[in-house]
Amino acid sequence: MIQADVVVVGTGIAGLSFALKAARYGSVAIITKKSRPESSTNWAQGGIAAVFAADDSPALHMEDTLVAGAGLCHPDSVDVLVREGPERVRELIDLGVSFTRAGDNLSLGLEGGHSRRRIVRADDLTGREIERALLAAAAETGNVTVYENHQAVDLLTAREPGAVGDRCCGVLALDSETGMLVPIAARAVMLATGGAGQVYRHTTNPSIATGDGVAMAYRAGARVANMEFIQFHPTALYPARERTFLISEAVRGEGAILKRRDGTPFMQDYHPLASLAPRDVVARAIDREMKASGDPYVLLDCSAIPEHEIRERFPNILRETAERGIDMLCEPLPVVPAAHYLCGGVLTDTDGRTTVPGLYAAGETACTGVHGANRLASNSLLEAVVFAHRAAARLGPDLRSAPALQPSQAAVHAGTREVDDAVLAEDREAVRNLMWERVGIVRSDAWLAGAESRLAEVQARVGALWAECRPTHDLVELRNLVECAQLVVRCAIRRKESRGLNYNIDHPHRDNERCLRDTLVIR
């Protein structure tokens, strides 16, 4: 058994920034199921939204966020985000993050849904630069130990004397190198495992984004919210590969125009902001255009952006598209929507606390209420660092009073049979295809009901495998992926309206009288 005061699951911006500050209060064990740099943060291109421009203000940032969130944002959480965001960005700079500058000032970009330039960035590889600096800082922090290739399987819980419910007291992890299950005991656990994009056939997320934190928290009894709100990035490069390459929204912010394959623009038919409309509007418009024409993609025309700006602003996109045989300086980019961001997740307060004592969540794993029914571009990295900071500050007094408990169950996995990897791969692809076809950008009551029934069949098979077989990396991921898919469907079925990222053709309008609230599920 590994013991620490705090266990952090995940090495993205939320997990690492929390760990650095939590180390002030006790020993921190960070576990990651792959290598340290592999996280959704590492793939974030656009930037981190924060108020630095003279013509900007927290009130304007809050207004833009609330508009994008379609009535479901939690105003108190959004207020925290926009007021505390700039200071958290300054802390990243102090840690060594090298953001792009224009002279002595930060170079601020513009993205869809924003009324001002407020996107702080490191060219078009912002996430990678933040990840680099945070990993370097963690390596220099003596109270932090990172365990690579340790995959969280389930949360460990115990009942305090006199308490009504269980308290989280650690994590059961799978050491992928040895195949052994390792209990990690702690007085507090932070879930920062990222999103669940792998639930869908096409996604911009890395292969590790299988909703592990949400699934584990749900099984441990934590409240989960708003899982129906899956943000599809409108412009992923076509054709998709193993991991779809996204074309940052900042490209449209600098002047790129969405067009049909015949060269005619179409976004002005859907929204006054045309190609700078919020992501849910753009994704649905592209989906509708593709279905109407039968074309497998639409075009993103970058010709309005001067060549020197493309080379300076988007060097990674220019390089990646060139490697795929496309010269964005001379020809439009073929693009399609792809699953990108989970706006729901494990419900937390503004200090990162879940409904299970001792369990925290931050980043894409958490539902802080900031995003509501649709995330405003580049608010995600900001949300991660702001609420991870608040969770770490809350951890201090919480940790002092937290008991050191032994898990109420040994959490020993009894299965011994070897699992058939081909069966796992088949079920995984079946779930991803089903979710793409029936629970994607556009939904219906019949599609959702059919998806719920078929997912129940898959879960029954996976449950049998879990009981009979030795746990493996792929089996653990499939178990979580199916759990998350079912949560998405359950929430989508409950929301009898179309709002933000949830568009149901059987309920095409908003219903503020009955549906202006979070969709909450608990085991």
Side-chain angles (χ1 to χ4, degrees):
M1 177 181 287
I2 298 171
Q3 290 190 319
D5 291 313
V6 184
V7 175
V8 179
V9 188
T11 52
I13 183 174
L16 289 173
S17 58
F18 172 84
L20 290 173
K21 294 176 179 180
R24 302 167 184 169
Y25 307 111
S27 59
V28 179
I30 307 177
I31 63 173
T32 175
K33 63 181 177 181
K34 292 290 188 180
S35 61
R36 303 178 193 204
E38 189 164 356
S39 68
S40 293
T41 299
N42 207 38
W43 297 108
Q45 291 181 2
I48 179 167
V51 173
F52 284 98
D55 65 344
D56 200 2
S57 69
L60 287 173
H61 190 180
M62 183 168 184
E63 180 180 351
D64 292 344
T65 300
L66 295 176
V67 169
L72 286 191
C73 296
H74 297 183
D76 58 337
S77 296
V78 179
D79 182 63
V80 165
L81 180 85
V82 300
R83 283 190 299 100
E84 300 184 9
E87 183 58 30
R88 302 288 80 79
V89 173
R90 293 186 188 98
E91 287 181 352
L92 291 175
I93 295 172
D94 291 341
L95 279 175
V97 177
S98 182
F99 290 118
T100 304
R101 290 187 170 270
D104 294 333
N105 300 316
L106 291 168
S107 175
L108 302 175
L110 177 68
E111 293 184 353
H114 289 272
S115 60
R116 297 291 188 274
R117 285 186 172 270
R118 63 170 70 101
I119 312 305
V120 182
R121 56 196 173 77
D123 292 330
D124 56 353
L125 287 172
T126 306
R128 185 178 300 179
E129 172 60 15
I130 292 173
E131 186 81 3
R132 178 203 62 75
L134 289 174
L135 284 170
E140 296 175 358
T141 304
N143 222 16
V144 175
T145 304
V146 180
Y147 296 88
E148 294 182 327
N149 301 307
H150 277 67
Q151 183 174 15
V153 174
D154 272 313
L155 297 172
L156 301 177
T157 59
R159 183 68 57 87
E160 293 182 66
V164 175
D166 287 347
R167 180 182 182 88
C168 186
C169 60
V171 176
L172 182 67
L174 173 67
D175 184 336
S176 298
E177 295 181 349
T178 66
M180 300 293 291
L181 289 172
V182 182
I184 305 174
R187 290 187 289 160
V189 173
M190 163 59 78
L191 291 175
T193 59
Q198 289 296 324
V199 165
Y200 288 90
R201 181 200 303 162
H202 299 304
T203 178
T204 63
N205 290 187
S207 62
I208 60 172
T210 49
D212 301 336
V214 175
M216 289 190 298
Y218 174 74
R219 289 194 293 266
R223 186 168 292 181
V224 173
N226 296 347
M227 291 293 289
E228 70 270 37
F229 297 122
I230 305 290
Q231 188 173 70
F232 287 80
H233 197 287
T235 53
L237 193 64
Y238 177 89
R241 293 183 176 178
E242 179 71 17
R243 187 195 64 81
T244 303
F245 182 75
L246 70 85
I247 306 301
S248 171
E249 190 161 7
V251 176
R252 284 182 284 125
E254 297 303 323
I257 303 295
L258 285 162
K259 296 182 177 181
R260 303 179 180 94
R261 290 184 70 187
D262 64 8
T264 59
F266 60 86
M267 277 307 304
Q268 70 279 359
D269 299 335
Y270 295 92
H271 196 278
L273 292 177
S275 290
L276 284 176
R279 288 181 176 180
D280 60 322
V281 176
V282 179
R284 280 197 302 274
I286 294 174
D287 181 71
R288 183 170 179 178
E289 290 290 329
M290 289 167 54
K291 288 176 178 175
S293 66
D295 292 334
Y297 58 84
V298 297
L299 298 174
L300 184 64
D301 184 356
C302 306
S303 60
I305 310 175
E307 178 178 336
H308 72 275
E309 288 190 17
I310 291 178
R311 293 188 182 279
E312 292 175 3
R313 180 75 173 82
F314 307 111
N316 182 55
I317 296 176
L318 182 62
R319 181 171 53 254
E320 180 74 24
T321 52
E323 289 178 357
R324 301 189 184 203
I326 305 168
D327 185 354
M328 69 180 291
L329 298 174
C330 305
E331 57 186 319
L333 302 174
V335 294
V336 295
H340 184 55
Y341 191 86
L342 174 64
C343 289
V346 185
L347 187 67
T348 71
D349 63 13
T350 55
D351 289 332
R353 292 178 294 188
T354 74
T355 54
V356 173
L359 179 63
Y360 298 76
E364 195 172 354
T365 306
C367 179
T368 63
V370 158
H371 306 306
N374 184 24
R375 175 180 69 101
L376 182 65
S378 290
N379 266 355
S380 50
L381 292 179
L382 187 70
E383 179 200 34
V385 72
V386 164
F387 290 95
H389 167 85
R390 292 178 66 89
R394 179 70 259 176
L395 178 73
D398 283 358
L399 206 60
R400 284 193 291 272
S401 61
L405 300 174
Q406 291 298 315
S408 54
Q409 295 179 347
V412 174
H413 191 85
T416 57
R417 182 167 66 84
E418 294 295 322
V419 69
D420 186 338
D421 290 336
V423 172
L424 299 182
E426 183 177 331
D427 275 338
R428 181 165 176 152
E429 286 310 298
V431 170
R432 299 181 73 203
N433 288 332
L434 174 66
M435 293 295 289
W436 182 260
E437 293 164 2
R438 293 291 179 259
V439 200
I441 297 171
V442 177
R443 302 160 182 176
S444 76
D445 288 348
W447 291 347
L448 291 172
E452 184 178 43
S453 176
R454 290 175 61 185
L455 285 172
E457 296 172 2
V458 177
Q459 189 190 47
R461 291 197 299 272
V462 173
L465 291 174
W466 185 254
E468 299 169 3
C469 300
R470 283 195 314 108
T472 65
H473 171 85
D474 290 345
L475 181 55
V476 172
E477 282 197 337
L478 179 59
R479 180 185 181 219
N480 292 332
L481 187 142
V482 174
E483 190 96 74
C484 277
Q486 289 185 302
L487 290 171
V488 172
V489 172
R490 281 180 60 191
C491 289
I493 288 173
R494 292 187 183 187
R495 186 162 291 280
K496 303 296 185 182
E497 65 164 355
S498 289
R499 180 188 299 273
L501 301 168
N502 183 74
Y503 187 82
N504 188 320
I505 59 177
D506 294 315
H507 311 280
H509 305 293
R510 292 188 191 181
D511 184 348
N512 287 337
E513 291 186 7
R514 291 178 294 180
C515 300
L516 194 60
R517 60 180 183 271
D518 293 331
T519 308
L520 302 176
V521 289
I522 190 169
R523 191 174 186 182

